[in-house]
Amino acid sequence: QSVLTQPPSVSGAPGQRVTISCTGSSSNFGANYDVQWYQQLPGKGPKLLIYDNTNRPSGVPDRFSASKSGTSASLAISGLQTEDEADYYCQSYDNILSGSVFGGGTKLTVL
Amino acid sequence: QVQLVQSGSELKKPGASVKVSCKASGYTFTKFSINWVRQAPGQGLEWLGRINTNTGNPTYAQGLTGRRFVFSLDTSVNTAYLQISSLKTEDTAVFFCVRPMAQRLNTFEYWGLGTLVTVSS
């Protein structure tokens, strides 16, 4: 059971917008630790998608956006493309565990 | 450019040990920690811990029981190692080494391709 809770799966049609939630607690998001998001394409290693809650590394399309409020965070993907089909993970720091923690991951299916 | 090149897949029997290497290039090795992340088959990502490449001081995730997992370095060849002893079948996973973003210890910017360790009799 992950410290950060994500829905197991989401889906959307090409061109649509989907959101993926990530619920934490007072020892991570609530303690003001930042959230990161990673994309893992099938058979590949993870790729940093969002850092410091809302920032995109260079090269990440602006179709990807994210937010954080209180003990929750979310990733939004607009203008869905078939190549967005992947697993998405949220990640933060937890001060009770004294280490980084990941969400369980959400599989995005582009219908 | 930053690269983390990991050693190849391993097949081990239960009770054996394995040592996974991660050779860094494209930056000053001792300026960034190296993290280790595990992904069991069909499962999510799990942070195992990090090693300070300047001091050699490791930090292990609380969930790691005993001392079966050991992080080490050879700074002369810019390489980090993950050694797992007394292997169990449930240790079967892909292990990633990861370098954080500058000034952000818990933001994992650069990932190795992963090393598959299979434990089977």
Side-chain angles (χ1 to χ4, degrees), chain B residues 1-2 6-7 11 14 18 27 36 38 43 45 54 57 67 71 80 84 87 93 111 119:
Chain B
Q1 71 283 20
V2 174
Q6 298 188 227
S7 49
L11 173 60
V18 69
Y27 70 97
W36 291 95
R38 171 169 65 181
Q43 302 300 308
L45 304 171
N54 189 38
N57 182 46
R67 290 304 304 271
F71 308 146
I84 312 170
L87 282 163
W111 294 68
V119 184

Side-chain angles (χ1 to χ4, degrees), chain A residues 5 24 33-34 37 52 65 68-69 78 82 88 94 99 104 110:
Chain A
T5 302
Y33 293 105
D34 292 327
W37 291 90
D52 290 359
S65 62
K68 173 177 167 271
S69 178
S78 59
T82 53
Y88 293 84
D94 188 279
V110 181

Side-chain angles (χ1 to χ4, degrees), chain B residues 44-114:
Chain B
L45 304 171
E46 178 188 9
W47 182 76
L48 299 179
R50 72 167 65 91
I51 186 164
N52 183 317
T53 53
N54 189 38
T55 64
N57 182 46
T59 299
Y60 297 99
Q62 285 191 12
L64 288 190
T65 56
R67 290 304 304 271
R68 294 195 306 116
F69 292 74
V70 177
F71 308 146
S72 62
L73 301 169
D74 185 344
T75 55
S76 69
V77 290
N78 293 347
T79 301
Y81 300 94
L82 164 64
Q83 182 161 358
I84 312 170
S85 58
S86 303
L87 282 163
K88 307 174 183 180
T89 55
E90 54 263 39
D91 291 326
T92 295
V94 175
F95 294 85
F96 297 98
C97 62
V98 192
R99 200 211 83 171
M101 182 177 277
Q103 299 175 340
R104 288 169 171 82
L105 194 62
N106 297 297
T107 297
F108 304 137
E109 185 173 18
Y110 295 98
W111 294 68
L113 293 181

Side-chain angles (χ1 to χ4, degrees), chain A residues 38 40 52 89 91 96 100, chain B residues 39 47 62 104 106 108:
Chain A
Y38 301 85
Q40 186 174 30
D52 290 359
Y89 294 90
Q91 173 258 325
I96 289 180
S100 283
Chain B
Q39 186 169 36
W47 182 76
Q62 285 191 12
R104 288 169 171 82
N106 297 297
F108 304 137

Side-chain angles (χ1 to χ4, degrees), chain A residues 7-32:
Chain A
S9 63
V10 298
S11 63
Q16 283 189 335
R17 180 180 186 270
V18 296
T19 61
I20 298 171
S21 63
C22 177
T23 303
S25 66
S26 59
S27 59
N28 40 71
F29 295 166
N32 214 30

Side-chain angles (χ1 to χ4, degrees), chain A residues 10-107:
Chain A
V10 298
S11 63
Q16 283 189 335
R17 180 180 186 270
V18 296
T19 61
I20 298 171
S21 63
C22 177
T23 303
S25 66
S26 59
S27 59
N28 40 71
F29 295 166
N32 214 30
Y33 293 105
D34 292 327
V35 62
Q36 280 64 243
W37 291 90
Y38 301 85
Q39 176 193 60
Q40 186 174 30
L41 296 170
K44 303 291 188 182
K47 169 190 170 184
L48 179 64
L49 207 59
I50 298 285
Y51 68 98
D52 290 359
N53 305 317
T54 61
N55 295 322
R56 287 186 308 276
S58 62
V60 174
D62 59 7
R63 301 186 297 105
F64 295 90
S65 62
S67 64
K68 173 177 167 271
S69 178
T71 58
S72 294
S74 66
L75 172 72
I77 310 170
S78 59
L80 265 182
Q81 300 180 3
T82 53
E83 55 260 40
D84 297 333
E85 195 160 278
D87 293 323
Y88 293 84
Y89 294 90
C90 58
Q91 173 258 325
S92 185
Y93 180 86
D94 188 279
N95 62 19
I96 289 180
L97 296 175
S98 299
S100 283
V101 290
F102 286 94
T106 298
K107 182 175 181 59

